[in-house]
C-alpha cells in the first residue's frame, strides 16, 4: 500500500501516481523547467462506444501535461500545484487500443499567480491526435 504521508518533494519527481493518475493510467515521463511529457498506452477502459479513445482521455492528457509544465520543482524543493482555469482541446485524430500516446507540454508564459501552457498529443508514429492550451492558477499547499 502506498505511503500517503509522502509529499511530492519526498518522492521521485518523475512519479505521478495515486488517485486519478492511477485510475487513468498515465505516467509522467519528462519533467523539467517549463516542460512535461505524460505517456499513456490506450487500453480498453479508455475507449468510447465507437471503439476509439474517449475525448475525455485526450482532455485529461492535455490538462495534466500542461499543469505539470508550469509546476516543475527540483527534488527536495517545496512542491508547486495548480488548478485549471481554462482548457481548450482540439480533437484532431483518433487513437485505438494498444497505441502509446505522449502529451508534450510547454509553459508559454505567466507570472507569480497564473501561467499558460500549450500541449500536443502524438501517437508512436508521430501523428497528432490532439492539441490544446490552458490557463492555470498556482495554489498554496498548507
Amino acid at each position: 500500500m502506498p505511503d500517503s504521508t509522502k509529499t511530492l518533494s519526498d518522492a521521485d519527481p518523475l512519479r505521478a501516481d495515486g488517485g486519478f493518475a492511477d485510475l487513468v493510467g498515465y505516467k509522467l515521463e519528462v519533467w523539467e523547467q517549463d516542460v512535461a511529457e505524460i505517456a499513456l498506452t490506450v487500453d480498453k477502459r479508455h475507449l468510447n462506444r465507437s471503439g476509439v479513445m474517449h475525448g475525455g482521455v485526450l482532455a485529461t492528457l492535455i490538462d495534466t501535461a500542461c499543469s505539470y509544465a508550469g509546476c516543475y520543482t527540483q527534488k527536495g524543493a517545496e512542491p508547486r500545484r495548480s488548478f485549471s482555469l481554462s482548457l481548450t482541446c482540439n480533437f484532431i485524430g483518433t487513437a485505438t487500443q494498444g497505441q502509446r500516446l505522449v502529451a508534450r507540454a510547454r509553459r508559454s508564459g505567466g507570472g507569480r499567480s497564473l501561467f499558460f501552457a500549450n500541449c500536443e498529443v502524438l501517437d508512436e508514429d508521430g501523428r497528432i491526435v490532439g492539441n490544446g492550451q490552458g490557463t492555470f492558477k498556482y495554489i498554496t499547499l498548507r
Side-chain angles (χ1 to χ4, degrees):
M1 185 169 271
D3 180 359
S4 61
T5 62
K6 283 189 173 185
T7 65
L8 184 60
S9 61
D10 297 330
D12 178 346
L14 285 182
R15 294 205 44 199
D17 55 7
F20 196 64
D22 288 348
L23 179 67
V24 177
Y26 60 76
K27 300 292 180 201
L28 178 62
E29 292 196 335
V30 173
W31 197 23
E32 303 167 354
Q33 186 67 44
D34 298 331
V35 174
E37 291 186 9
I38 301 288
L40 172 79
T41 299
V42 179
D43 192 16
K44 183 177 180 180
R45 65 186 162 153
H46 301 120
L47 305 180
N48 64 21
R49 62 186 180 159
S50 299
V52 295
M53 185 179 70
H54 190 281
V57 177
L58 181 72
T60 294
L61 293 174
I62 292 168
D63 184 50
T64 303
C66 284
S67 181
Y68 270 104
C71 290
Y72 176 77
T73 52
Q74 293 185 9
K75 191 172 184 177
E78 187 67 29
R80 294 183 91 176
R81 298 283 198 271
S82 68
F83 62 86
S84 307
L85 293 175
S86 168
L87 186 69
T88 301
C89 300
N90 301 302
F91 305 95
I92 298 169
T94 60
T96 57
Q97 188 172 347
Q99 283 186 293
R100 184 174 187 277
L101 304 178
V102 176
R104 294 185 175 123
R106 178 170 295 281
R107 181 181 178 275
S108 57
R112 289 181 16 198
S113 62
L114 299 177
F115 71 91
F116 311 96
N118 299 302
C119 182
E120 192 170 65
V121 181
L122 306 168
D123 69 13
E124 63 266 6
D125 296 324
R127 184 178 65 104
I128 298 174
V129 176
N131 62 25
Q133 52 280 330
T135 303
F136 301 84
K137 181 169 180 52
Y138 291 115
I139 57 176
T140 303
L141 299 175
R142 297 202 190 266

